[in-house]
């Protein structure tokens, strides 16, 4: 194979990236594109006709050449002769592997047949909201004719696969004037002899449909405004969202823990503020991409945003029970003996009028995309209802897609999740030192992390160093201020849906004798460590109790909580206070499945802001060594003669909250390289 990029492929990638980066054209990771062209077969030296088509998974907006499957067109088209009929069309996906050229590139998707069989050099299959609105209108066939004349042809609903490819190929052949089609219940396909032509045809269908909807839609597609369901003002809305989030995440996680995403986008609030939203939400989504991401339908809270929080929480629990029964009944109605097992009965989308939408997934990205898909669904319903009546595909077809054997196989191939996947961590004082090392480790083990520290800038910089917003976010909080702690917990809960794992790490240290310690010194250290961790534990335990998913609270106490070192009255006393909080809270929170443990570090000089900020100099003076040698000095007075680094504390945090120490609470783990005077007994 030559290393040059075939010009047909270069054009395909550019077109795909342009189409995929505008959300009006297709949903995230939805749709696929292809190009046909020739290359020299390295085996025969002869020209060979190939089709390059976006492979399974992946997003058009960021598609690269490596994301394309490469098939030999002659072999692909020969499949028509062995095609055993629609009942066994799924077998054709395995047959694509026998059509691959060279190493074949990415895995061919189910839509490969459509691209290979349609006789055009360039083909686009997309999921635009405007096109799906026509595709899901009760009279979509008639609308297609009215809007597009004979340039675009209606294809009745059919599950994606080989037969749909044959159908579209036949339509193209019979309608030489056509530039594409509307796929009932699903999306659009367009073609062209050049890449530009295919792109223009796709955009023409999308824009013509959108313009027609804009011009001909009824004024209130979602019905009249619902009394009392107008969005709350922004501050109240977010406060209410934060108050409800733990309950909602608990509901979405009853079968398996989930990460959440919250949005109060105008599209969502507008939908929920109008009379038809309960009926439409019940009808569910339609485009085949949606079912695994959003389930057939959302859970909708049927109370106005002005109802008291307690009433909303109680109602959400009732609705969750009903949702689970309803989902089980749906599964039972349609499952056959060879259907994959039920995948959990909890909602993935929860709608709260006046407040917004909570969406869920196995990680933050999946949760966010589920929400984006439901926004697509709302746009589709608005368009369809504006012109006609929204009529998604039949429930039995939805089930066939949700529990499709090919989809199940994809799920089974997914790599095993990391040990802390779906867990949401909050680490205080995590802009540097032990806190940052801990946040980094928890993220590396699969957790989403919230990094809280005094400076927003530094907290955000630490978060950015660890990962993008789907992994880590930074928030500003002074843990000694109750209001700031509440705001921090609200921000955490709105970022990822809830909280499972809290590390009380924020701290500072002043090395002073009893006679030197001022009242202000005493108060400051006690406010940040004893009081600060009390406030954080209180606010976060409330979230964990509401979630009913258990959790972990970990205190970074100190060797000095048990060891009577020199010139250390305020610091060591407040560390002893923290250490006793561990035991008290372990006893109190155990009934909620919340474990509370502590770590006693010592002598962590490298990376520690405490040491750099004066404490190191003071300690060095107390011990009579050079400040730069303090780490080594501490190492020499340990039993193991090893220097303790921030990463060693982070390791202990992971062990305490990881998958192995499930039956341990009220424990302190020394991470001090061995200090006999601080042995616990
Ligand atoms: N370094 C050690 O040897 C050692 C030993 C035992 C215990 N500890 C404890 O480990 C924790 C982390 O210490 P480190 O060594 O990484 O120091 P560090 O100074 O690098 O980290 C402490 C962080 O806490 C933040 N912070 C301070 N006051 C805060 C407040 N009011 N609200 C929010 N954040 C605040 C600071 O900005 C800083 O980023 C502290 O609780 C410390 O007492 C450290
Ligand atoms: Zn599709």
């Amino acid at each position: 194979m030559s290393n040059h990029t075939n010009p047909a492929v270069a054009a395909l990638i550019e077109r795909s990236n342009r189409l995929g980066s505008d959300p009006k054209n297709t949903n995230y990771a939805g749709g696929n594109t292809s190009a046909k062209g020739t290359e020299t077969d390295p085996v025969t030296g002869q020209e060979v006709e190939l089709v390059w088509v976006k492979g399974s998974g992946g997003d058009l907006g960021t598609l690269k050449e490596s994301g394309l499957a490469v098939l030999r067109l002659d072999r692909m088209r020969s499949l028509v002769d062995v095609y055993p009929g629609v009942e066994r069309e799924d077998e054709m996906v395995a047959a694509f592997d026998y059509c691959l050229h060279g190493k074949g590139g990415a895995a061919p998707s189910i839509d490969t047949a459509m691209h290979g069989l349609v006789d055009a050099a360039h083909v686009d299959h997309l999921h635009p909201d405007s096109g799906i609105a026509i595709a899901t209108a009760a009279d979509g066939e008639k609308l297609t004719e009215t809007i597009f004349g004979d340039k675009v042809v209606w294809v009745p609903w059919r599950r994606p696969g080989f037969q749909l490819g044959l159908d579209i190929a036949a339509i193209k052949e019979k309608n030489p004037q056509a530039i594409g089609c509307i796929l009932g219940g699903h999306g659009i396909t367009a073609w062209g002899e050049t890449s530009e032509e295919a792109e223009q045809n796709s955009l023409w269908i999308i824009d013509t449909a959108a313009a027609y909807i804009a011009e001909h839609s009824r004024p209130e597609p979602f019905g009249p405004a619902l009394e009392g369901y107008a969005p709350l003002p922004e501050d109240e809305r977010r406060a209410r969202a934060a108050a409800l989030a733990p309950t909602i995440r608990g509901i979405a996680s009853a079968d398996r823990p989930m990460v959440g995403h919250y949005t109060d986008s105008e599209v969502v609030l507008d939908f929920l503020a109008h009379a038809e939203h309960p009926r439409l939400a019940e009808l569910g989504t339609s485009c085949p991409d949606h079912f695994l991401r959003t389930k057939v339908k959302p859970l909708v809270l049927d109370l106005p945003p002005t109802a008291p929080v307690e009433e909303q929480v109680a109602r959400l629990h009732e609705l969750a029970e009903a949702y689970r029964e309803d989902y089980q009944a749906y599964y039972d109605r349609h499952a056959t003996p060879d259907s994959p097992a039920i995948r959990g009965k909890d909602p993935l989308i929860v709608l709260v009028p006046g407040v917004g939408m909570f969406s869920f997934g196995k990680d933050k990205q999946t949760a966010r995309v589920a929400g984006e898909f439901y926004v697509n669904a709302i746009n589709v319903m608005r368009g369809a209802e504006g012109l006609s009546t929204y009529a998604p595909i039949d429930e039995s077809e939805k089930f066939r897609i949700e529990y499709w054997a090919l989809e199940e196989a994809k799920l089974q191939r997914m790599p095993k999740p990391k040990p802390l996947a779906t867990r949401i961590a909050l680490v205080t004082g995590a802009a540097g030192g032990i806190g940052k090392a801990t946040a980094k480790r928890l993220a590396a083990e699969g957790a989403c992390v919230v990094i809280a520290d005094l400076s927003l800038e530094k907290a955000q910089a630490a978060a950015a160093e660890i990962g993008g917003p789907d992994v880590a976010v930074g928030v500003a909080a002074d843990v000694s201020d109750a209001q700031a702690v509440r705001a921090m917990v609200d921000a955490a809960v709105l970022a990822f849906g809830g909280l499972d794992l809290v590390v009380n790490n924020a701290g500072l240290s002043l090395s002073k004798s009893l006679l030197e310690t001022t009242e202000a010194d005493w108060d400051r250290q006690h406010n940040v460590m004893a009081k600060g961790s009390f406030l954080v534990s209180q606010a976060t335990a409330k979230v964990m109790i509401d979630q009913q998913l258990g959790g972990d609270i970990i205190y970074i106490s100190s060797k000095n909580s048990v060891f009577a070192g020199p010139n250390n009255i305020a610091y060591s006393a407040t560390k002893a206070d923290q250490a006793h909080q561990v035991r008290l809270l372990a006893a109190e929170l155990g009934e909620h499945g919340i474990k509370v443990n502590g770590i006693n570090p010592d002598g962590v000089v490298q990376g520690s802001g405490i040491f750099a900020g004066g404490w190191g100099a003071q300690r060095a003076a107390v011990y009579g060594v050079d400040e730069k040698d303090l780490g080594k000095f501490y190492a020499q007075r340990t039993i193991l003669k090893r220097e303790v680094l921030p990463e060693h504390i982070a390791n202990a945090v992971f062990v305490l909250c990881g998958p192995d120490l499930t039956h341990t609470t009220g424990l302190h783990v020394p991470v001090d390289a061995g200090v006999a005077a601080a042995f616990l007994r």
Side-chain angles (χ1 to χ4, degrees), residues 26-27 30-32 110-111 114 125-127 160 164 183 186-189 287-289:
T26 203
N27 55 339
N32 29 64
I110 188 77
D111 288 323
M114 165 173 26
H125 166 61
L126 301 167
H127 297 158
L164 182 63
L183 312 184
H186 177 172
I188 72 164
T189 293
C287 178
D289 269 358

Coordinates of all heavy atoms in Angstrom, one line a residue, residues 26-27 30-32 110-111 114 125-127 160 164 183 186-189 287-289, ligand 2:
T26 N -26.1 16.6 12.1 CA -26.2 15.2 12.7 C -25.8 15.2 14.1 O -25.2 16.2 14.6 CB -25.2 14.2 11.9 OG1 -25.7 12.9 12.0 CG2 -23.8 14.3 12.3
N27 N -26.3 14.2 14.8 CA -26.0 14.1 16.3 C -24.6 13.6 16.5 O -24.0 13.1 15.6 CB -27.0 13.1 16.9 CG -27.0 11.8 16.2 OD1 -26.6 11.7 15.1 ND2 -27.5 10.8 16.9
G30 N -23.2 10.3 15.2 CA -24.3 9.8 14.4 C -24.0 10.0 12.9 O -23.3 10.9 12.5
G31 N -24.6 9.1 12.1 CA -24.4 9.2 10.6 C -23.1 8.7 10.2 O -22.2 8.3 11.0
N32 N -23.0 8.5 8.8 CA -21.7 8.1 8.3 C -21.7 8.5 6.8 O -22.7 8.9 6.2 CB -21.6 6.5 8.4 CG -22.9 5.8 8.4 OD1 -23.7 5.9 7.4 ND2 -23.3 5.2 9.5
I110 N -22.9 -1.2 10.5 CA -24.1 -1.8 9.9 C -24.5 -1.1 8.7 O -25.2 -1.6 7.8 CB -25.2 -1.8 11.0 CG1 -26.4 -2.6 10.6 CG2 -25.6 -0.4 11.4 CD1 -26.2 -4.0 10.7
D111 N -24.2 0.2 8.6 CA -24.6 1.1 7.4 C -23.7 0.9 6.2 O -24.0 1.5 5.2 CB -24.7 2.5 7.8 CG -25.8 2.8 8.8 OD1 -26.9 2.2 8.6 OD2 -25.6 3.7 9.7
M114 N -25.5 0.2 2.8 CA -26.1 1.4 2.1 C -25.0 2.1 1.3 O -25.3 2.5 0.1 CB -26.7 2.3 3.2 CG -27.0 3.7 2.7 SD -27.9 4.7 3.8 CE -27.6 4.2 5.4
H125 N -25.0 9.7 5.0 CA -26.1 9.3 5.7 C -26.1 10.1 7.0 O -25.1 9.9 7.8 CB -26.2 7.8 6.0 CG -27.2 7.4 7.0 ND1 -28.5 7.6 6.9 CD2 -27.0 6.8 8.3 CE1 -29.1 7.2 8.0 NE2 -28.3 6.7 8.8
L126 N -27.1 10.9 7.3 CA -27.0 11.8 8.4 C -28.3 11.8 9.3 O -29.4 11.3 8.8 CB -26.8 13.3 7.9 CG -25.5 13.4 7.1 CD1 -25.5 14.8 6.4 CD2 -24.3 13.3 8.0
H127 N -28.2 12.3 10.5 CA -29.3 12.4 11.4 C -29.6 13.8 11.8 O -29.5 14.2 13.0 CB -29.0 11.6 12.7 CG -28.8 10.1 12.5 ND1 -28.1 9.3 13.4 CD2 -29.2 9.3 11.5 CE1 -28.1 8.1 13.0 NE2 -28.7 8.0 11.8
P160 N -31.8 -0.3 10.2 CA -30.6 -0.2 9.5 C -30.0 -1.6 9.2 O -30.1 -2.5 10.0 CB -29.6 0.6 10.4 CG -30.5 1.3 11.3 CD -31.7 0.5 11.5
L164 N -32.0 -2.4 4.0 CA -32.2 -0.9 3.8 C -31.2 -0.4 2.7 O -31.6 0.4 1.9 CB -31.9 -0.2 5.2 CG -32.1 1.4 5.1 CD1 -33.6 1.7 4.8 CD2 -31.7 2.0 6.5
L183 N -35.4 8.8 5.3 CA -35.6 7.5 5.8 C -36.6 7.5 7.0 O -36.3 8.1 8.0 CB -34.3 6.9 6.3 CG -33.1 7.0 5.4 CD1 -31.9 6.3 6.0 CD2 -33.4 6.4 4.0
H186 N -36.1 7.8 10.9 CA -34.7 7.6 11.1 C -33.8 8.8 10.7 O -33.2 9.4 11.6 CB -34.3 6.4 10.3 CG -32.9 6.0 10.3 ND1 -32.4 4.9 9.8 CD2 -31.8 6.7 10.7 CE1 -31.1 4.8 9.9 NE2 -30.7 5.9 10.5
G187 N -33.8 9.2 9.5 CA -32.8 10.3 9.1 C -32.8 10.5 7.6 O -33.9 10.3 6.9
I188 N -31.7 10.9 7.0 CA -31.6 11.2 5.6 C -30.4 10.5 5.0 O -29.4 10.2 5.7 CB -31.5 12.7 5.2 CG1 -30.2 13.3 5.6 CG2 -32.6 13.5 5.9 CD1 -29.9 14.6 5.0
T189 N -30.5 10.2 3.7 CA -29.3 9.8 2.9 C -29.3 10.7 1.6 O -30.3 10.9 1.0 CB -29.4 8.3 2.6 OG1 -29.3 7.6 3.8 CG2 -28.3 7.9 1.7
C287 N -35.0 8.1 16.4 CA -33.8 7.7 15.6 C -33.0 6.6 16.2 O -32.8 6.5 17.5 CB -32.9 9.0 15.5 SG -31.3 8.7 14.7
P288 N -32.6 5.6 15.4 CA -32.0 4.4 16.0 C -30.8 4.6 16.9 O -30.5 3.8 17.8 CB -31.5 3.6 14.8 CG -32.2 4.1 13.6 CD -32.7 5.5 14.0
D289 N -30.1 5.7 16.7 CA -28.9 6.0 17.6 C -29.3 6.2 19.1 O -28.5 6.1 19.9 CB -28.3 7.3 17.2 CG -27.2 7.1 16.1 OD1 -26.9 5.9 15.8 OD2 -26.6 8.0 15.7
Ligands
LIG2 ZN1 -28.7 6.2 10.8

